[in-house]
Amino acid sequence: MIAITILLLAVAPRYGPHWDELYFGMLPLHWWYVDQPPLTVWLSWLATQLSDAIWVQRLPAVTAAALGAFVAGLYPRVLGAGPRAQRLAAWAHAFTVYPLMMGHIFTTAAIDLLAWQVVILLVLRATAGHPRSLVWAGTIAGLAAWNKLLVVVLLVALFVGLLLTDRQLLRTRHTVIGVVLFGLLAAPQGLAQLLNGMPMAQVSAGLVEAQGDLVRLTLVPTLFLFVGPPLLLVWVAGLVDPWRTPGGPGRFLLPTLLLLVAWTLANPAQPHYPAGALLPALAMGWASPRLRARWSPAKRQGVIAANAVMASLVCLPLLPATDPWLSLQSRINPTIRDQVGWLDYVDQVREVRREGEAVITDTYALAGALHRYGSPEEQARVHSGHNALWDLGPPRGDRVLLVGEHAVAQSAAFRTCTPAGTLQARPVAHPQLIGPPMLHCEEPVTDWQTVWPQFRRLSGW
């Protein structure tokens, strides 16, 4: 835990804020948002009360990553393995790809990964003879619903996994209590979505439309990468060994994972969704007697070290943000691409923007960058129709600079518009920032309350 904390804090200030971090920094405190529950935004706000420094804003992600390593070390303990296996599980988890990636930037996935680890650990304890753990599993899952409603998919997969392997657990009062507690805790966020027309479903559909085919094509290789190719035999052992032991703990994990993979193929918004169930298999694998017989202690440590080096180079900003390294790293890990160039984009918009103009952007990230790096006067004139930023309302004046294809497409809502060029992308850039057009527009043809709904855009990008 100490080692991963030191590493993540050391690299946290390098490059710049991530796409989502810029968005969270612009959102006010609300109890729900159209595109996500509020916990990550609340924690981001709390961090900004301490400092605007990037490393401070990433403290929640670093903390979640360190706790994740601790939780990973508990899996072999539940399976009866000793301290050595527990240490190996903690080190392997801390320094593999997906936990490093989520520990470096603070997004909803950082807290979600930790929540999934804890819930699956508690279900594992239940299958090992401690059914009361299911009460806590329901409680943690209910709290996790205030961060990301994806935990509902995990619970459905776990239910089916237990139905196939440990059906008797589902008949206990602890399961009933856990389900009730989850329902009570998660209800406010679920009802908010239902009563507002399920806007999160529209956000997910936008991601599927943008990258669904690619996610389906690359899902399995991506999961291999996220958990660490050198550790393949370990997580396979963590899945297969329990399955081969009738009546033993952990048999539910294999069908649970397969269901999550199938669900992701059917709803290919993001490829990382099943990783939260695959990483527990990695932790459980270090308890495998077959693995201990096959790999010497030195080999186990060597494999973890080799994977740690590879994962650190892929996930973390260890080298200067220059080509060709940046291009290569961004192809493997797009979150790196989303951390560079923001000051350049802000300067371009600032040069084009005329005195007294408000700015309306297509993307919440660019709006967040303009807000983060702008003066108080500039911050007050930044607007976007993207996701929850649309709820902050339209500009007050009649002169605007439109940035992005969707925003520019609303030019008919103004009496006059003149070209303002295009935003020049860096060699490595998010697709939404590759040459978006800009327009100077004046005088909406009707009032802003009528025009503003045209700018609304619900999408993950």
Side-chain angles (χ1 to χ4, degrees), residues 167-223:
R167 187 172 301 182
Q168 72 282 356
L169 274 177
L170 299 177
R171 303 190 187 102
T172 65
R173 61 186 177 88
H174 304 101
T175 299
V176 175
I177 295 172
V179 169
V180 170
L181 287 172
F182 168 76
L184 291 173
L185 291 168
Q189 292 303 315
L191 287 174
Q193 286 292 317
L194 289 171
L195 294 175
N196 288 276
M198 294 295 292
M200 281 181 58
Q202 298 178 52
V203 173
S204 180
L207 284 170
V208 171
E209 182 180 355
Q211 60 182 22
D213 291 340
L214 180 62
V215 169
R216 287 192 181 99
L217 182 65
T218 62
L219 177 60
V220 173
T222 299
L223 291 176

Side-chain angles (χ1 to χ4, degrees), residues 41-302:
V41 178
W42 290 352
L43 293 174
S44 295
W45 177 87
L46 185 62
T48 59
Q49 303 312 296
L50 301 175
S51 172
D52 285 336
I54 296 176
W55 74 270
V56 175
Q57 295 179 32
R58 290 176 171 171
L59 282 176
V62 174
T63 303
L67 290 174
F70 173 77
V71 172
L74 297 178
Y75 277 84
R77 181 178 178 180
V78 172
L79 296 175
R84 175 177 291 179
Q86 296 170 35
R87 288 193 296 270
L88 290 172
W91 279 93
H93 176 94
F95 289 94
T96 200
V97 172
Y98 190 61
L100 275 180
M101 194 183 301
M102 293 302 102
H104 173 58
I105 57 176
F106 186 39
T107 68
T108 55
I111 303 297
D112 201 49
L113 174 59
L114 177 61
W116 280 41
Q117 281 184 268
V118 175
V119 169
I120 294 174
L121 175 67
L122 291 168
V123 175
L124 177 64
R125 276 182 51 82
T127 63
H130 304 279
R132 186 174 297 179
S133 297
L134 293 176
V135 175
W136 288 105
T139 303
I140 297 299
L143 295 173
W146 283 77
N147 177 70
K148 205 168 185 177
L149 287 173
L150 191 65
V151 71
V152 175
V153 179
L154 171 64
L155 292 184
V156 172
L158 285 170
F159 175 82
V160 176
L162 290 173
L163 190 65
L164 295 173
T165 60
D166 294 275
R167 187 172 301 182
Q168 72 282 356
L169 274 177
L170 299 177
R171 303 190 187 102
T172 65
R173 61 186 177 88
H174 304 101
T175 299
V176 175
I177 295 172
V179 169
V180 170
L181 287 172
F182 168 76
L184 291 173
L185 291 168
Q189 292 303 315
L191 287 174
Q193 286 292 317
L194 289 171
L195 294 175
N196 288 276
M198 294 295 292
M200 281 181 58
Q202 298 178 52
V203 173
S204 180
L207 284 170
V208 171
E209 182 180 355
Q211 60 182 22
D213 291 340
L214 180 62
V215 169
R216 287 192 181 99
L217 182 65
T218 62
L219 177 60
V220 173
T222 299
L223 291 176
F224 273 72
L225 175 66
F226 279 171
V227 185
L231 302 174
L232 171 65
L233 292 180
V234 184
W235 60 260
V236 168
L239 290 170
V240 173
D241 283 11
W243 182 257
R244 289 176 172 174
T245 310
R251 297 186 72 234
F252 68 91
L253 188 57
L254 179 58
T256 296
L257 176 64
L258 293 177
L259 283 168
L260 289 169
V261 170
W263 182 85
T264 305
L265 289 172
N267 302 274
Q270 294 283 10
H272 63 257
Y273 292 157
L278 190 53
L279 285 164
L282 174 65
M284 291 166 60
W286 296 106
S288 168
R290 291 192 304 117
L291 184 72
R292 292 199 298 269
R294 186 169 184 176
W295 285 2
S296 67
K299 183 171 183 179
R300 279 174 261 168
Q301 295 170 8

Side-chain angles (χ1 to χ4, degrees), residues 353-358 377 381 397-400:
R353 177 177 169 267
R354 294 170 178 169
E355 185 68 26
E357 277 187 333
E377 187 272 336
R381 294 179 177 271
D398 293 339
R399 301 172 59 224
V400 295

